[in-house]
């Protein structure tokens, strides 16, 4: 039977810096080192959505989007900035939630949002 798994994989030009960022800046804990510093981080909760590619400029079918959510986006942004996380835009209302984006090592950004919908 197919299991719903919450596995996420980042391919980065700066994997060591990205692992340190996830651990030290975002505060994720690793439960395993599979060798050579390849940390496996525990993500306690996940969900998945499917959206039309054309709703996002330049997004081809199959384009992934990484996002993290929080209960209070303003407080979380302040905490992450205090840890050295750099945000690339202001918090904005996107309908489904309050949204901003931050830089991650490897030259990409991730979304942080406070959902307006009820999380389970």
């Amino acid at each position: 039977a197919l299991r719903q798994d919450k596995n996420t994989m980042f391919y980065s030009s700066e994997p060591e810096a990205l692992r340190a960022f996830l651990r030290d800046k975002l505060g994720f804990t690793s439960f395993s080192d599979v060798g050579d510093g390849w940390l496996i981080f525990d993500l306690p909760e996940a969900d998945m959505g499917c959206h039309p590619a054309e709703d996002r400029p330049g997004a081809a079918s199959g384009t992934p989007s990484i996002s993290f959510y929080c209960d209070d986006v303003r407080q979380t942004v302040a905490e992450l900035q205090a840890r050295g996380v750099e945000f690339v835009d202001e918090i904005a209302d996107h309908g489904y939630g309050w949204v901003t984006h931050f830089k991650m090592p490897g030259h990409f950004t991730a979304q942080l949002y406070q959902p307006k919908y009820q999380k389970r």
Side-chain angles (χ1 to χ4, degrees):
L2 183 65
R3 292 183 54 194
Q4 183 177 350
D5 196 1
K6 55 184 185 244
N7 187 318
T8 302
M9 182 70 67
F10 288 106
Y11 290 89
S12 174
S13 59
E14 302 176 42
E16 294 85 8
L18 182 56
R19 291 179 196 122
F21 179 87
L22 292 168
R23 182 191 62 227
D24 302 336
K25 305 286 188 192
L26 299 188
F28 290 115
T29 57
S30 61
F31 65 86
S32 181
D33 181 336
V34 295
D36 297 323
W38 287 47
L39 303 176
I40 304 298
F41 293 92
D42 188 25
L43 300 177
E45 191 173 326
D47 55 29
M48 179 176 57
C50 300
H51 303 278
E54 62 271 6
D55 282 354
R56 197 167 135 215
S61 183
T63 301
S65 176
I66 302 299
S67 61
F68 300 91
Y69 78 92
C70 59
D71 295 327
D72 184 332
V73 71
R74 294 188 193 295
Q75 177 183 338
T76 303
V77 165
E79 291 170 1
L80 292 176
Q81 285 176 324
R83 295 183 204 156
V85 175
E86 182 180 348
F87 285 81
V88 299
D89 54 11
E90 298 295 320
I91 298 167
D93 185 348
H94 284 217
Y96 62 90
W98 297 97
V99 177
T100 187
H101 299 84
F102 58 91
K103 290 183 178 183
M104 295 181 72
H107 310 290
F108 62 97
T109 61
Q111 175 180 261
L112 174 68
Y113 75 102
Q114 177 184 332
K116 290 183 178 180
Y117 58 91
Q118 183 66 38
K119 298 287 290 180
R120 293 174 79 185

